Amino acid sequence: MSGLSVAHRVALATLIEQAPDATLAKLSSVAGALPGERALELGAMLAEEVRDRTRRRLVLAPLLPMFRPRPDGIEAITFPPAVLPRLWKAGSAREPGLLPRLDRAGPDAAAVSDRICLAAAAAVRDRPEQVWPADLEPHRRERGLNDLAACLDLAHLARRGLPSIEVWLKRPDGDQVAELRLLIKDCAAIHADGARRVLEMLFSHLDDAVLILRIITQCSCASGREGFLSASELAGFVERLIDGVDARVARIGAFRPGSDLASVDPVIADLTWCANVLNELDVTLTLNPLSVWGKSVRDARVSIAGQLSAFLRAADRAVDRALPLERVRLAGRMTRKAPQLTVPVQGETVQAVGNLLKLVGAVRGPASIFGAESDRSKLVESLTARLTDYADQALLAVNDGEAEDEVNALRLVELAARCLDLIDARVAARTVRRRAAVAGAVRKPTKPSSRAA
């Protein structure tokens, strides 16, 4: 059987190059199980691509996260994903004889990686169209090329600092802090803004954006003071975090609980993110209450605290609307409140109570940060008692045969149990469901036994 033609190899090479890593691994396993000469050639092509990507990840490790947007939406230096394979080809083509040395871990591989990064930086400056085509995001191409070349110049220093990120985020000792400051100093000696650029590279490796503050405040003895930091080139990191808080405050304020149930999850994530960022700002920086940063942080706190209080009040009212009570006559003029067992168990009202109670149950941490935990705890305690009492009365009506629609009544009891789950009252919810499981059984006639007959 003949092998792959030139046209086949070109087409397959294009497809393999564009395939994600997960897809590439699946294709490799499938190709290995296929018979024939063409399958062997395809397997060899896939193996070569896997080896090439492994080398690329090693060489460009300091910059690799910069080829995708930050998941938290915080502004950062990023490059188009399509530039990454082009950059690797341009850099590795200048040192083809050194590539096999990347397959053995050790200082030799690190030295080769640094050399290829410098070759890639030269390629960006000498042949920019080969790395970043003119029709690929032309509005930021020039600045992107300058950033990319500068980051590649500093890649060997950033590679040296990557293993120490976890240490710098915790409680580094004197030697470890000195190592960080020496790294910043070496980067500043290469580029005028080298300190900021290497921090951008470290920033790209942090999933939690606010952690960059812990590294920044270790860069200098005065970095923890707002006056020094706001006047330095590192002020942009704090401003981006504050901008991120402002954007999330706007989204929280625009939340409407009667919308789709899934929409509450981003609100909970935004509240948690803002709480973490503002708490970290308080811990790592000494903010002047009258400064721009201090006012922004204070305004954000006040706004979020007000939104949390509004959500708590809305949750209280939503329970009354979703599980309403009505006055029923006992005897003479005596009345009492009892569950209205004919209301629907679907619709905007039920969605709203689900959204709000899910939020109430999930924001214990943020509520503590914004001074609303006491109100939240009281609300949870009150709702637990009210929902349990509602379920008890509804089940009593079912057992006594007073419910007009037993099926709907039991659905309302299940809704009350779900509400208890959402506010983390698991024990009460299980009790309600156990009682609902046997509701109405006491009224079902039993068949007479043969002995009684």
Side-chain angles (χ1 to χ4, degrees):
M1 182 182 293
S2 61
L4 295 171
S5 66
V6 175
H8 287 156
R9 295 184 67 88
V10 171
L12 286 173
T14 303
L15 292 174
I16 290 172
E17 181 180 335
Q18 296 176 354
D21 291 345
T23 304
L24 197 64
K26 292 180 181 179
L27 289 174
S28 299
S29 62
V30 171
L34 295 176
E37 185 178 347
R38 293 183 179 181
L40 290 176
E41 291 188 28
L42 175 60
M45 293 176 65
L46 291 169
E48 178 61 28
E49 180 67 18
V50 170
R51 181 167 55 250
D52 190 62
R53 292 193 187 188
T54 302
R55 293 170 177 174
R56 184 177 75 187
R57 283 194 296 270
L58 175 64
V59 172
L60 299 177
L63 288 79
L64 212 54
M66 305 178 82
F67 288 92
R68 58 177 181 267
R70 285 194 61 86
D72 54 18
I74 298 300
E75 181 185 352
I77 293 180
T78 58
F79 309 109
V83 170
L84 178 60
R86 295 171 177 271
L87 176 67
W88 167 244
K89 284 185 178 180
S92 60
R94 295 197 172 195
E95 304 287 354
L98 298 178
L99 295 180
R101 298 167 68 177
L102 296 171
D103 301 331
R104 298 184 297 273
D108 190 37
V112 172
S113 298
D114 295 340
R115 183 166 174 174
I116 293 177
C117 283
L118 293 177
V124 171
R125 293 185 173 98
D126 296 342
R127 300 192 304 276
E129 68 285 345
Q130 181 179 347
V131 176
W132 193 320
D135 59 346
L136 180 62
E137 300 191 20
H139 60 285
R140 65 184 187 114
R141 181 173 181 270
E142 290 303 319
R143 182 175 180 178
L145 287 169
N146 292 333
D147 289 338
L148 183 57
C151 289
L152 287 166
D153 290 339
L154 302 171
H156 63 291
L157 295 174
R159 193 187 315 276
R160 189 180 78 192
L162 286 179
S164 300
I165 287 183
E166 291 296 326
V167 175
W168 295 332
L169 293 178
K170 296 176 182 177
R171 294 185 177 180
D173 57 27
D175 292 340
Q176 293 162 341
V177 172
E179 178 188 3
L180 172 61
R181 293 177 181 176
L182 180 60
L183 173 68
I184 298 299
K185 182 178 179 181
D186 290 343
C187 292
I190 295 177
H191 281 289
D193 58 351
R196 180 183 63 82
R197 290 191 183 278
V198 75
L199 286 172
E200 291 280 3
M201 297 167 75
L202 297 179
F203 181 54
S204 69
H205 288 265
L206 299 176
D207 293 332
D208 193 353
V210 73
L211 295 179
I212 192 63
L213 294 177
R214 301 186 185 182
I215 297 178
I216 290 175
T217 52
Q218 302 291 343
C219 293
S220 170
C221 296
S223 293
R225 298 200 303 267
E226 179 188 357
F228 173 85
L229 186 58
S230 61
S232 72
E233 61 182 355
L234 307 182
F237 291 101
V238 180
E239 292 170 354
R240 286 182 233 169
L241 291 172
I242 293 177
D243 289 342
V245 170
D246 292 340
R248 285 163 174 79
V249 168
R251 291 204 297 262
I252 293 168
F255 172 63
R256 295 296 176 265
S259 58
D260 185 13
L261 182 61
S263 65
V264 74
D265 293 324
V267 176
I268 294 172
D270 286 345
L271 286 167
T272 304
W273 192 89
C274 290
N276 291 337
V277 169
L278 295 178
N279 186 58
E280 191 69 31
L281 283 169
D282 287 343
V283 172
T284 55
L285 297 180
T286 304
L287 294 176
N288 182 354
L290 301 179
S291 67
V292 175
W293 290 355
K295 291 179 180 178
S296 297
V297 168
R298 185 181 67 250
D299 291 345
R301 282 185 174 277
V302 170
S303 179
I304 295 177
Q307 288 291 341
L308 270 176
S309 297
F311 288 148
L312 296 179
R313 294 191 299 269
D316 197 9
R317 295 191 298 268
V319 170
D320 290 335
R321 288 193 294 268
L323 300 171
L325 300 175
E326 61 181 352
R327 288 233 172 241
V328 296
R329 185 179 300 277
L330 295 178
R333 296 183 179 180
M334 296 177 60
T335 61
R336 69 176 178 88
K337 287 187 176 181
Q340 186 178 344
L341 301 179
T342 57
V343 296
V345 292
Q346 293 180 346
E348 183 177 335
T349 302
V350 176
Q351 288 180 347
V353 76
N355 276 329
L356 288 167
L357 292 185
K358 186 175 183 179
L359 189 146
V360 169
V363 296
R364 176 179 297 179
S368 299
I369 298 296
F370 297 112
E373 176 55 21
S374 176
D375 292 339
R376 194 199 72 88
S377 298
K378 291 178 182 178
L379 178 61
V380 169
E381 183 178 352
S382 171
L383 289 178
T384 301
R386 285 165 51 191
L387 291 168
T388 303
D389 182 66
Y390 178 94
D392 289 343
Q393 292 192 54
L395 291 172
L396 182 62
V398 171
N399 289 328
D400 291 344
E402 297 176 356
E404 297 179 11
D405 186 346
E406 290 189 5
V407 174
N408 194 73
L410 291 175
R411 287 174 179 170
L412 288 170
V413 172
E414 173 57 27
L415 176 58
R418 290 205 307 269
C419 291
L420 288 168
D421 280 332
L422 291 173
I423 60 175
D424 207 23
R426 308 288 182 183
V427 176
R430 285 197 297 269
T431 301
V432 168
R433 288 193 172 99
R434 282 198 299 267
R435 294 192 59 198
V438 297
V442 295
R443 296 186 296 102
K444 292 180 180 179
T446 57
K447 293 182 179 181
S449 64
S450 57
R451 180 178 301 178

